[in-house]
Amino acid sequence: MYTIIRVAGRQYRAEVGKTLDVDKLPYDVDHKLVIDDVLLVGDGDNTILGQPTVEGAKVSATVIEQFRGEKIMVFHYRQRTNLRKWAGHRQYYTRLRIDAITV
């Protein structure tokens, strides 16, 4: 069984036992949360599509860790003006473990 859930404004495919790396959520490690913004539930041949969400469907998850992603280097360049600028960015993420899916 799998679901398509919306967390922090983005959509993710969630399965029991898998981990998801989502944009930073304001929870501590080992915090259990329930996500009720379920857009689709699929189980083999059966698919339930929500309009806009599936009523009564919930996904239970646990926060495993808060971490930062790899550094992304950004380079700005303008020709003939001697403008060269480097900047780095590291995004904050939250790793979730999917514990249960209830429909």
Side-chain angles (χ1 to χ4, degrees):
M1 177 179 279
Y2 70 95
T3 62
I4 304 296
I5 58 175
R6 187 180 309 143
V7 179
R10 296 188 181 179
Q11 296 177 8
Y12 299 94
R13 179 183 169 127
E15 296 179 29
V16 176
K18 302 282 181 161
T19 60
L20 295 176
D21 294 340
V22 301
D23 287 338
K24 186 172 180 6
L25 297 174
Y27 301 115
D28 294 329
V29 176
D30 293 331
H31 183 270
K32 298 194 183 297
L33 61 126
V34 176
I35 302 164
D36 57 353
D37 201 0
V38 178
L39 305 175
L40 181 137
V41 176
D43 185 18
D45 295 333
N46 301 329
T47 302
I48 303 170
L49 184 63
Q51 296 176 352
T53 60
V54 179
E55 291 186 26
K58 295 182 181 186
V59 175
S60 300
T62 304
V63 176
I64 297 175
E65 68 174 315
Q66 302 279 2
F67 68 101
R68 293 177 76 183
E70 293 184 12
K71 181 176 273 195
I72 298 171
M73 296 305 296
V74 180
F75 181 65
H76 295 281
Y77 171 77
R78 297 268 172 92
Q79 64 180 359
R80 293 186 296 273
T81 61
N82 201 19
L83 176 72
R84 290 165 182 82
K85 184 165 60 169
W86 283 94
H89 176 74
R90 290 183 70 187
Q91 182 70 31
Y92 288 94
Y93 291 106
T94 299
R95 182 163 287 152
L96 298 176
R97 181 182 62 234
I98 306 300
D99 297 327
I101 298 172
T102 56
V103 180

